[in-house]
Amino acid sequence: MKMKTLLLGAAASFALAPAAMAERGSDGNVNIIYWQAPSIMNPFLSGGTKDIEAASLVIEPLGRYDPTGALVPFLAAEIPTVENGGVSEDLTTITWKIKEGLKWSDGTDFTAEDVKFTGDYCMNPEGGCAQLAKFTGVQSIDVIDPLTVKVTFGAPTPNPYGPFMGGQSPILQKAQFENCTGAAASSCTDQNFAPIGTGPFVVTDFRPNDVISLEANPHYRDPAKPAFATVNFKGGGDANAAGRAVLETGEYDYAWNLQLAPDVLAQMSEGGKGVPVAAFGTLVERIEMNMTDPSPDLPEGERATVAHPHPFLSDFNVRKALSMAIDRELLVEVGYGQAGRATCNLVPAPELYASETNTDCLVQDIEGAKALLEESGWTDSDGDGIRDKDGVKLSLLYQTSTNAVRQDFQALIKDWWSQIGVETELRNVDASVFFGGDAGSPDTFQKFYADVEMYANNFDGTDPQSYLSMYRCGNEPKPSSQWQGENINRFCNEEYDALLDELAMTGELDKRGEIAKKLNDIITKDTMTIVPLVDRGRVSAHSNSLGGVALNTWDSELWNIADWHRID
Amino acid sequence: MLTYAIRRLVLSVPTLLFISFAIFMLLQLAPGDPMAQVPLTVPPEVKEKMRQALGLGEAPLVQYWKWLVQMFWIEPQVLWDNWFGTSFSEGKLRVISWQTRSPVMDIVIQRIPQTLWVVGLSYIVGVLIALPIGIYSAYRQYSLFDQSGTFITMIGFSIPPFFTGPLLIVIFSVQLGWFPSIYDTTLVVDSWAAFKVQLQQMIMPVMVLALQTTAQLSRYMRASMLDNLNQDYVRTARAKGLSEAVVVMVHVLRNSMIPVVTVIALGVPAIFGGAIITENVFKVNGIGQLLITALFANDLPMVMTLTFIFAFLIVLFNLIADILYGVLDPRIRYD
Amino acid sequence: MTNPAPAPIVALTDKEPPREPRSQWRDVWSQFSKHKGALLGAGFLIFITLAVLLGPYVWTLDPQKLDIRNKDLRPIYTALWDSGAKVAIGHPLGTDNLGRDGLANLIAGGRASMAVGWAAMLLSLFIGTAVGVISGYFKKIDGPLMRLTDLFLSLPILPLLLVAVTLFRQPLRANFGPEGGMFILIVTVIGVTSWMPTARIVRGDVLALKEREFILAARSIGTTPFKIIQRHLLPNVLSPIMVSATLGLATAIITESALSFLGVGFPSDFPTWGKMLADAVPRMNDFPERVLLPGIMISLTVLGVNYLGDGLRDALDPRIRGR
């Protein structure tokens, strides 16, 4: 495909970037389009990806992840580790040293007080902070001196890089947000729309859900950066239009997250005004099997709860056969092209945690699936083309959110399943209902009133511990928890839970990797509770004249916008 | 007539209150969650805390009462303060959007210019084209003009804007490069050059929307004219020697306008409602785009306020239409 | 005293027995058949209805059958000017990006679209006309009914549909199957949210009509309100109703597509013309037929209904019929 060579080209231009540096603001204006429009510049109040990314132009964390997933210091002088003494031996504290001479965009000094304030701001019980999970286990945040701040955890924390690391927890200015803590957080419109930051740009005009105008920060720490004097950050429309504006008409310089069918994207990039770039993270499109009975005949409150195991999906062989019937390579070709890879893993990256031996599912085996069902007693006894056993028919309800690619996947998978004698009814639900946690709606993915469902999920940062802990026994959505809970499949396995406890106690990286792989294998190939389909990459596009773009799936895509510049 | 108008005005207050309550209950019943767009990486406990911070834990009636107070007591104060520099609304909580944590009315006011520019203009253009087409096609029924007019307007009406919009973009932005495919809402029209840019970016959305309006209105106009052209009074008018222009443009047109006026008046609130699909296709980001993003984000205060504003306009323009009936047709008696 | 009956006046006696009176419907038909457009429209509608009903028996390919090796085929007519185009006789209208047959989908989509369009249009026409006539004629309930209209005009359709889906999908699915249940739901919601303009327009006409002399005359001879509405009002408000019907059919087909597009419509394996059109827009450049074919079908259907409506109106209007 043509895109691959283009990707190499983009990488080459990135490598050359530093040589092309000029003085601040010399390259004029850059146009960025996000088809989901940002509604607020404060990531602590929103949690939406679009808002986190927009905010990353203005406010910065102490350290970020780079495109390889490695930690790089931003406002910190270095990344604290056990080796350099920044992280204590017992894994309960982390001490951050801040770079000297940092200034906020209003000219005042950046100090450790601001860092402490940000932590307190988010941990305020009345504020409704979206990034509270980043501060899990934090006991106290103490200012040692104006340039040193120490975070103390209540228990040993093998991965202490939750607070102040990555685009989700940037530092807010204490002087600006002092009166905005707790319940007052949402009445601070001006602060939330135009935070004072340390990043390369400053907001000049913020129109919620529409457009943000920014200009270069006069106090940015590198006097030669950013190369652009102004940013026009437009939101709205759809991925199609955003791709067209960069690749075909050249009106915009950068388009975010182009979730387009590969043939559509390839056709657009023939426009020649820009290039698509792709990178992989941890996002995995998967089919989740319901281990409980979602039958509408059960009374409300018992439906899809652990009280009633699923009539046929509780049979491992059925789950395995369903997985064997799927041709993942074809799914990738149809839905994602270069931006997808077939996978059998729940944790596809980083390398340390990815179980590379788990590849059996990659080859489609319709005959094998048939034989497996036949062996375990699922036969078509009444000749209607649908297998059954003891009066239970292999008839599934397969739900997902509304999205062109997901509907194509549904059609393909329905076809394969019909070939092995499984009947499938498809349902697609509006994403705002499907992913919403409304306990009154029967269509949320947590409630799982279907036999199988498909969606994608990933984890923040590079450590999968909390991600794998979602499938702990008892963490399932149930009526008593208002259907909140992350163990969507209602999976329950003693060995799995014991390994999770072990993982939480282990600090050594190699050992952690080993346990994580075991956990991954249990929930995928050993039990087929989760059937991963595609490791989904991120595709964005930039114009031919924009240099310095390094697509990052571990942090904000705009993480290095200070290095972006114009090339001729 | 006057007493009728006053009675209707007074009656519209309870009507609007009832409508606002019905909309509120509908939104309460609808499934959906303002946290749906928060990534799955944010754990459910945190989402629950965020919901509490938005005031979602309160009983629906309490939420409704709060909205009423904010909308009808605090927002007018803010308006008053803005006009006269007073400070009645100091420190009072306004209607706050859940997505942006900022006052809903500020965003609405920010969005009105582009919606009026694009949707309003297209409506005027549509009406101006549709009426002559409707009149002439009825007058020359089954002529070539009538047939081709019917054909084109019907095609225009039956093809949805999510097709015509991208089609125009592919032709005029991608192939020819004449017009921008993305509307710039920050453009300030202060010079001839800026005005030209504004025209260029407006022309495609206006065309798409005007096509729909024209198709619909010209059909009604034509049908209504046809009904009247065969009436006895027309024959009488011709018989007493009035010129054809006077017969058609004065006698027939005035009578034919009665149902058409309803359609035109009913369409005006829809202008303020924006054009959801067209605004999205051309990234105009007016009221329509505001409503649809709020709906998808389950931003209830925003949806509630916007639909209430539409309801207000609908009630108002229905009243205007009814009064216009009386003016245009003296036979109609309301009292 | 009895007077002898006066002798009949010669000029007033019938010279021959009266002819069998022509029935009203014969007149209607003869006027209708003179309207070429109407005949054409009606013919096309009958054709398309038969095509979507009987099509699956003639063209037996399953519209959901995936044939991934034959994906992205062009219609055979493209071979006329582009010899390099990928075409196959087995798929005269090409295939989509998953290899589903274009013709079979067009037929299946037509079935759904026509059914939704007609059902929703008739429902909204029925409600709209009833509300319009009643509130125009009976002054007492004019106010409440018009306020109800205001309420419905201001209800946003998307939350309404979501509520309807939440409340009624499961019982309807249990009784009518997943597709039948969704069909009833969508038709009802489209019908219930689109009758208001018709009602307003009909009411406006009725308000003016009921002050006319012929209604007064009818009332003075003791005609019941129901009879007045049936005999005198309805035929006179037929033309705006016909226009509403034409526009209503198009609106219903398009609203359905917008709903499917937003994910609250039919299941994804249930094609409709509107949805096929919406899905194909991103590939408009390479595969124009995928947008054009369903688009043309919608347009032609709407045009057909429009001409049929024109003809019917002319035929049913006694003032035009005589000439």
Side-chain angles (χ1 to χ4, degrees), chain A residues 38 60 87 114 127 214 229 240 288 312 322 334 383:
Chain A
E60 298 176 304
V87 177
D114 294 309
L214 305 106
N240 225 313
E288 305 240 349
F312 54 88
L322 290 176
V334 166

Side-chain angles (χ1 to χ4, degrees), chain C residues 202-214:
Chain C
V202 169
R203 167 179 171 270
D205 271 14
V206 170
L207 274 181
L209 277 172
K210 76 169 183 188
E211 306 295 341
R212 297 270 281 269
E213 294 74 13
F214 66 94

Side-chain angles (χ1 to χ4, degrees), chain B residues 315-333:
Chain B
V315 170
L316 180 73
F317 277 89
N318 276 354
L319 175 62
I320 291 176
D322 280 344
I323 291 173
L324 276 179
Y325 273 179
V327 174
L328 284 167
D329 189 344
R331 283 171 310 196
I332 292 179
R333 291 192 314 264

Side-chain angles (χ1 to χ4, degrees), chain A residues 128-148:
Chain A
C129 175
Q131 309 302 344
L132 197 58
K134 294 268 162 204
F135 293 86
T136 314
V138 173
Q139 206 169 47
S140 66
I141 301 172
D142 303 295
V143 175
I144 310 288
D145 64 58
L147 293 180
T148 316

Side-chain angles (χ1 to χ4, degrees), chain A residues 150-165:
Chain A
K150 185 169 99 174
V151 181
T152 312
F153 295 93
T157 309
N159 176 35
Y161 305 112
F164 314 124
M165 181 77 203

Side-chain angles (χ1 to χ4, degrees), chain B:
Chain B
M1 201 78 229
L2 189 68
T3 46
Y4 172 76
I6 292 172
R7 205 177 66 224
R8 278 285 302 273
L9 269 179
V10 173
L11 252 176
S12 59
V13 174
T15 312
L16 281 173
L17 277 179
F18 179 72
I19 291 179
S20 75
F21 185 70
I23 298 174
F24 184 83
M25 286 323 288
L26 177 72
L27 294 177
Q28 283 291 322
L29 271 178
D33 174 14
M35 297 298 120
Q37 291 186 338
V38 173
L40 297 180
T41 47
V42 173
E45 311 86 71
V46 174
K47 286 187 184 164
E48 189 53 38
K49 283 206 174 118
M50 291 171 74
R51 279 187 209 109
Q52 298 298 337
L54 293 176
L56 268 162
E58 289 169 20
L61 279 179
V62 176
Q63 290 184 37
Y64 177 61
W65 174 248
K66 277 192 169 170
W67 179 85
L68 272 186
V69 170
Q70 288 165 351
M71 189 69 197
F72 295 108
W73 183 240
I74 299 175
E75 289 297 338
Q77 288 179 357
V78 174
L79 197 66
W80 183 270
D81 289 355
N82 268 345
W83 283 348
F84 302 105
T86 50
S87 54
F88 288 114
S89 59
E90 197 76 53
K92 290 179 185 157
L93 201 61
R94 303 174 61 186
V95 186
I96 299 280
S97 151
W98 287 347
Q99 288 171 87
T100 67
R101 312 295 177 100
S102 72
V104 167
M105 289 311 280
D106 290 1
I107 306 177
V108 172
I109 288 167
Q110 204 174 59
R111 294 301 181 92
I112 283 179
Q114 44 262 39
T115 294
L116 284 188
W117 264 110
V118 173
V119 190
L121 191 71
S122 72
Y123 199 64
I124 295 172
V125 170
V127 170
L128 288 182
I129 302 177
L131 295 189
I133 291 184
I135 295 169
Y136 193 73
S137 356
Y139 187 64
R140 293 256 176 268
Q141 197 189 3
Y142 302 136
S143 65
L144 185 66
F145 180 86
D146 179 30
Q147 300 287 17
S148 54
T150 303
F151 193 76
I152 293 169
T153 48
M154 274 299 131
I155 288 183
F157 191 76
S158 56
I159 291 182
F162 58 74
F163 172 50
T164 33
L167 183 70
L168 285 186
I169 289 181
V170 166
I171 296 174
F172 292 107
S173 302
V174 179
Q175 307 289 347
L176 298 173
W178 290 355
F179 309 124
S181 72
I182 290 171
Y183 189 94
D184 177 11
T185 47
T186 56
L187 183 76
V188 184
V189 182
D190 53 1
S191 64
W192 183 241
F195 182 69
K196 262 172 69 185
V197 175
Q198 175 70 15
L199 271 189
Q200 279 183 339
Q201 65 175 356
M202 261 173 20
I203 196 156
M204 287 197 297
V206 168
M207 269 159 60
V208 168
L209 286 170
L211 186 65
Q212 303 265 311
T213 322
T214 311
Q216 202 168 1
L217 276 180
S218 65
R219 296 315 297 165
Y220 280 116
M221 190 71 227
R222 176 177 176 276
S224 180
M225 285 291 285
L226 279 178
D227 272 358
N228 279 288
L229 275 169
N230 296 312
Q231 302 273 357
D232 295 340
Y233 72 86
V234 180
R235 203 181 319 142
T236 313
R238 283 193 180 125
K240 70 180 181 186
L242 289 179
S243 73
E244 206 50 27
V246 173
V247 170
V248 175
M249 298 310 287
V250 178
H251 288 75
V252 180
L253 184 59
R254 180 166 166 173
N255 281 300
S256 314
M257 281 304 280
I258 298 169
V260 179
V261 160
T262 325
V263 183
I264 295 182
L266 283 180
V268 174
I271 297 179
F272 291 87
I276 291 177
I277 293 177
T278 313
E279 284 190 2
N280 239 319
V281 168
F282 294 98
K283 271 70 64 188
V284 177
N285 292 0
I287 303 274
Q289 189 260 6
L290 191 63
L291 178 65
I292 194 79
T293 41
L295 272 174
F296 282 133
N298 285 293
D299 185 354
L300 294 195
M302 178 80 85
V303 177
M304 183 71 205
T305 308
L306 283 175
T307 36
F308 180 74
I309 294 175
F310 301 155
F312 173 76
L313 291 170
I314 286 165
V315 170
L316 180 73
F317 277 89
N318 276 354
L319 175 62
I320 291 176
D322 280 344
I323 291 173
L324 276 179
Y325 273 179
V327 174
L328 284 167
D329 189 344
R331 283 171 310 196
I332 292 179
R333 291 192 314 264
Y334 288 116
D335 304 307

